[in-house]
Amino acid sequence: MKEPIQTANAQQPGSMPYSQAIRVGDVIYVAGQGPIDPVTDELVGDTLEHQARRALDNVAAILEAAGAKLSDVVKVTVLLGEGVDFGAFNVIYKEYFTEPYPARTISPSPMGFMVQIDAIAHLT
């Protein structure tokens, strides 16, 4: 059975047709989270650090609402904007995820911001 996950502490779908996350059994699928402030619904910051942290904080807030944490994440997809410093992103990423790191895919993003992140978590 699919259970939608919703929290006020992360980017809101608004009128867009998606859920922040869906839980199916012990697996949580978190929708792509950008650097959108959940209170103002606006893009946060003009630096990679600000945008990456906001996107990762949004992912963490949704996982928490689902009863999970970042250490439960097994797969991450990262969309990076053109020209984003991959090494700088990895420094920030390693503050949120520890070994064994989730499997990860990184692709370019045409979304107009520096980073968007989705995740799959497995509750043990």
Side-chain angles (χ1 to χ4, degrees):
M1 172 184 284
K2 295 191 313 185
E3 174 190 352
I5 305 298
Q6 179 71 28
T7 179
N9 298 323
Q11 176 181 338
Q12 299 299 304
S15 63
M16 300 294 289
Y18 74 92
S19 298
Q20 286 178 319
I22 295 288
R23 181 175 177 167
V24 179
D26 292 338
V27 180
I28 301 159
Y29 301 88
V30 179
Q33 296 298 300
I36 306 299
D37 183 280
V39 175
T40 66
D41 197 35
E42 302 214 358
L43 181 71
V44 172
D46 58 359
T47 67
L48 173 63
E49 180 170 3
H50 286 118
Q51 290 195 13
R53 289 185 188 286
R54 180 70 262 165
L56 287 160
D57 288 344
N58 286 343
V59 170
I62 294 167
L63 288 169
E64 182 178 330
K69 50 194 178 292
L70 289 170
S71 60
D72 295 317
V73 173
V74 296
K75 173 71 170 82
V76 174
T77 302
V78 178
L79 303 174
L80 292 178
E82 186 174 325
V84 169
D85 182 336
F86 183 70
F89 173 75
N90 276 334
V91 169
I92 297 163
Y93 183 88
K94 286 165 65 173
E95 292 177 26
Y96 287 79
F97 294 102
T98 58
E99 291 186 37
Y101 298 111
R104 182 173 81 175
T105 300
I106 295 184
S107 295
S109 171
M111 296 295 292
F113 37 79
M114 295 179 198
V115 63
Q116 183 180 41
I117 302 167
D118 72 19
I120 300 170
H122 182 257
L123 298 172
T124 54

